Amino acid sequence: MKQYVIYKRVSTEDQGKSGHGLDAQQRDIDIFLEKFSDVPFEVAGTFQDIQSGADNDRPELAKALDLVRKIGGELLVAKLDRLGRRVAHIATLMDDKRVKLRVAQMPQADKFQLHIYAALAEQERTFISERTKAALKEAKRKGVRLGGLRDKTMKRNEAIQHKADAEAAKVMRIVGPLRASGQTLSAIAETLDSMGVATSRGGTWTATQVSRVIERGQK
């Protein structure tokens, strides 16, 4: 019988107390177990940390990995970034022959594909960081008060984020059940269009846009 050890992580104590993010992770894991897992199976243990993904010293993850090695099971996470944000850390886990890794959102991905995904995600975060530094440097050269710039930017970004979160929450009422039933992202996009549900910009839906809505709904 296949055995899974479930691991979930949220970034802050508040998220851990409120359950924000944990329900979304559990939903993805439940979908994987129902739609994609070999049967029969059993969940041998569930662990969760309330720590930043940049922190590799996570006690509950260590316990989950110990159990995986002990029973020869698979470590099951909702998203790859729940294991960490550093590709080196994720690569170390993948290189451990006693650890089998399964990601609910990428049910068919093998270790090589997961490694590539982790590397690309890290590159994207590095580029975004450098782009932000370059923008601040240019603003400073032009004499812009960075404190004021940051305050205005943060307020504008918060407003945009709140609006996007609200819109995503509405759409997820439709997308969530469709995804849980096993529909593809493209099929969901077609359903939204047929229902007359417009995107945030008033356009038609694509698989990528549906994926972004799901990602936002899981934060």
Side-chain angles (χ1 to χ4, degrees), residues 22-99:
L22 293 175
D23 289 343
Q25 290 176 55
Q26 188 62 51
R27 182 181 63 233
D28 283 355
I29 288 169
D30 289 341
I31 291 173
F32 170 84
L33 293 174
E34 179 182 354
K35 302 292 184 179
F36 299 99
S37 174
D38 295 338
V39 292
F41 70 82
E42 69 173 357
V43 175
T46 300
F47 302 85
Q48 68 183 46
D49 277 310
I50 306 172
Q51 287 180 258
S52 168
D55 186 357
N56 293 337
D57 183 18
R58 281 174 268 152
E60 293 303 304
L61 176 58
K63 294 178 183 178
L65 290 170
D66 285 343
L67 182 57
V68 166
R69 296 183 183 107
K70 180 180 179 180
I71 66 176
E74 294 188 7
L75 182 69
L76 176 58
V77 296
K79 298 172 61 179
L80 191 57
D81 66 4
R82 295 304 86 191
L83 287 178
R85 294 201 298 259
R86 297 193 181 104
V87 66
H89 174 64
I90 294 175
T92 298
L93 293 179
M94 292 181 183
D95 288 340
D96 189 333
K97 295 182 179 180
R98 297 180 298 164
V99 174

Side-chain angles (χ1 to χ4, degrees), residues 198-218:
T199 66
S200 59
R201 297 184 179 181
T204 57
W205 289 90
T206 66
T208 300
Q209 289 171 318
V210 174
S211 177
R212 289 172 180 168
V213 168
I214 295 174
E215 287 283 335
R216 183 171 291 279
Q218 294 168 344

